[in-house]
Amino acid sequence: MSGIVVLGGGFAGVWSAAGAVRLARAAGRDLPVTLIDPGDDLVIRPRLYQAEPDRMRISLDRILGPVGVRRIAGTATAVHTAHRTVTVVGRDGETAEIPWERLILATGSRLVRPGVPGAELLHNVDTLPAAAALDSHLHRLPHLPPGAGPGRYTAVVVGAGFTGLEIATELVDRLGALATPEPIRVVLVERADTVGPELGPGPRPQIRAALASLGVEQYLAVGLSAVEPEGVVLSDGTRIAAQTVVWTAGVQASPLTAGIPADRDRLGRLAVDEQLRVRGVPGVYAAGDTAAADAEPGHPVLQCCQHALQLGKFAGHNAAADLFGLPAVPFAPAPYVTCLDLGPAGAIFTNGWDRRVVATGASAKERKRKVNEWWIYPPTDDPGELLRQADYRFSVRDIPTPGL
C-alpha cells in the first residue's frame, strides 16, 4: 500500500500529514503517510518580517517523526495523475518516482517578482533565505563606507498590504536599533490609492494612525518603475534614495499546480470541492495556498496561515477517509479573524470578513504574540498532542499559552 503522499512541508502539509495519521489511528488502520519537501524544517513564514528570521523554523522530524510519517528530502518536479506517481529530485541529484494512492498538494505560494529594471536588487520576506538575506543586509548598513549615499538608513517597502504593513512598521525598530543616533526613514509605496486595500475600510483609520505615529511615509497611487543601487524610481518619476528596498506585492500558487489537469483561479490555485478534492482529478486533494476553496459562501479562503492550518487538517482527514471508505467531512473553517502587527505601534485584531476592529494597541499586540509565538507552532516530540490538535474540530483556543 503506497498510501498518502503529501507534497509540501509548510503548515498545510504538516497538518495534512498529521490529520491523515490521526484518522488512521482512530479507525485502527495502518496507513503509510509520506511527506516530500526539499527542506528539513517547517518555516514559520508568518514571522519572517521579524528580526533574526533564522530562528523561525522547527524540525519536521520532531513534529511528524513521532507519529510515523516518512519524510523524503527532495523537490517534486512533476505530478503524474494518470499513473499516480510524483517525480522527485533528491539532494543527491537522483530522480525517483514516488507512487501514491491519494495525493495532497500543499506546496504553498511564491512571491511574484516585478519585471522592472534592477529587480534583482529587491529584498523580500517570502522565504527563510530571503528574510535572512535582508537581516544580514540591515546589519551591514552601519559598516558601509561614508560615501554610501544619503539613503543608508532609508527603507522603501513596495506594497502596503498585510505583509507590507507588517515589515514596514517592524523596520522602524529594526533600523532604529542600527542607526542610532542617525535618523531613519521608512517609506511605503502602494499602487492603490489607500493603504491596506485588501483589508477594507474597517481597520484603516487605526492603520493610518499607526503609520503616522511611527513616521512611516506613504506614496499612494504610484508603482515601482526601477530599482537602482542607491534608490528607487517610482512611476510618477519620483526618486527616493534608499539602501534597502523590500518587495511584498503579490503571490501566486506553487508552479506545481500547473501540472494538474484542473481549473485554476487567477492566483493559480486549484479548484476543489467542499471535501478539498481537486475537481475532475480523482485521488488528488489540495490544501493551503494551492487550494481555491470557499471558507464561506462568497468568501474564498485567503493565502494565509489561519486557512492553511485548517485546510491541511480537513484534507488529511478526507484523503484518509477516502482510502478507508469512511465518510468525508465538508470544509468548515473557524470564523475568519485578522491580527495585523504594527511594530512599535501595537497591532490590530479584527473579526469577520468586514474586519470589524475588536482590539488595538497593546491588547491586540498581546494577541498577535500568542498567534506568532505559540498558537501556530505545532507540538514537537509529542505524538499524542500533535494528533489531538490534528482533529479538524480542534480550536487554537484550546492550546495552553504558558508565559504569554
Side-chain angles (χ1 to χ4, degrees):
M1 183 181 185
S2 50
I4 292 175
V5 170
V6 179
L7 300 183
F11 288 103
V14 163
W15 286 112
S16 291
V21 172
R22 177 196 163 275
L23 181 61
R25 297 274 181 94
R29 306 283 289 272
D30 290 328
L31 175 64
V33 178
T34 301
L35 184 139
I36 300 173
D37 190 85
D40 295 324
D41 301 311
L42 166 65
V43 175
I44 310 301
R45 195 176 179 191
R47 297 191 65 186
L48 294 182
Y49 67 95
Q50 296 179 302
E52 301 180 78
D54 194 56
R55 299 180 296 114
M56 314 307 184
R57 56 182 173 175
I58 317 169
S59 165
L60 286 167
D61 288 338
R62 292 187 60 194
I63 302 167
L64 295 173
V67 297
V69 173
R70 174 192 179 206
R71 186 172 68 86
I72 297 177
T75 301
T77 58
V79 175
H80 311 286
T81 56
H83 303 291
R84 297 203 172 191
T85 61
V86 177
T87 302
V88 177
V89 178
R91 290 176 179 169
D92 58 1
E94 295 294 319
T95 299
E97 296 296 323
I98 308 298
W100 50 268
E101 292 175 275
R102 298 295 181 272
L103 179 75
I104 303 176
L105 192 68
T107 43
S109 59
R110 303 290 184 271
L111 189 70
V112 179
R113 284 187 167 272
V116 300
E120 70 279 2
L121 300 174
L122 291 166
H123 291 278
N124 68 78
V125 290
D126 189 55
T127 65
L128 182 55
L134 172 62
D135 198 54
S136 296
H137 163 81
L138 294 175
H139 281 87
R140 288 195 298 271
L141 294 177
H143 308 291
L144 293 178
R152 181 194 299 257
Y153 295 116
T154 296
V156 174
V157 176
V158 185
F162 193 98
T163 302
L165 289 168
E166 291 203 321
I167 184 63
T169 52
E170 190 77 7
L171 281 171
V172 171
D173 270 356
R174 291 176 68 178
L175 276 175
L178 297 167
T180 303
E182 294 186 43
I184 68 163
R185 186 184 181 195
V186 178
V187 179
L188 264 175
V189 175
E190 170 58 50
R191 279 192 175 276
D193 60 2
T194 188
V195 294
E198 79 278 20
L199 296 175
R204 194 160 293 142
Q206 290 84 358
I207 293 172
R208 287 172 174 161
L211 295 176
S213 72
L214 297 175
V216 175
E217 301 173 40
Q218 301 161 49
Y219 284 74
L220 304 177
V222 292
L224 180 69
S225 288
V227 188
E228 299 173 343
E230 294 185 356
V232 299
V233 182
L234 305 184
S235 58
D236 64 356
T238 300
R239 289 181 175 270
I240 302 173
Q243 286 290 334
T244 306
V245 187
V246 184
W247 176 263
T248 71
V251 294
Q252 284 277 313
S254 159
L256 203 59
T257 61
I260 307 294
D263 291 336
R264 286 174 291 281
D265 69 4
R266 64 180 182 82
L267 299 176
R269 301 182 299 181
L270 294 163
V272 296
D273 64 16
E274 63 177 5
Q275 280 85 40
L276 305 183
R277 298 173 295 197
V278 176
R279 294 185 183 276
V281 188
V284 179
Y285 293 73
D289 289 358
T290 63
D294 283 333
E296 296 175 17
H299 291 289
V301 295
L302 301 182
Q303 291 176 308
C304 66
C305 178
Q306 176 186 347
H307 284 150
L309 272 77
Q310 296 174 71
L311 285 161
K313 294 177 185 182
F314 277 87
H317 178 98
N318 286 341
D322 192 15
L323 276 176
F324 297 148
L326 298 174
V329 293
F331 177 59
Y336 177 64
V337 299
T338 303
C339 203
L340 174 69
D341 198 343
L342 293 172
I348 301 174
F349 178 65
T350 71
N351 274 340
W353 296 98
D354 60 350
R355 296 183 173 88
R356 178 176 56 87
V357 175
V358 295
T360 60
S363 62
K365 188 78 166 186
E366 182 66 10
R367 171 84 179 205
K368 183 67 173 182
R369 285 190 60 221
K370 289 179 180 179
V371 171
N372 270 11
E373 298 176 22
W374 196 260
W375 286 346
I376 63 174
Y377 278 69
T380 54
D381 307 317
D382 192 341
E385 181 61 18
L386 180 73
L387 296 183
R388 184 178 82 93
Q389 294 187 26
D391 189 331
Y392 63 86
R393 296 158 294 195
F394 182 83
S395 170
V396 296
R397 292 174 178 80
D398 297 327
I399 303 175
T401 52
L404 293 179

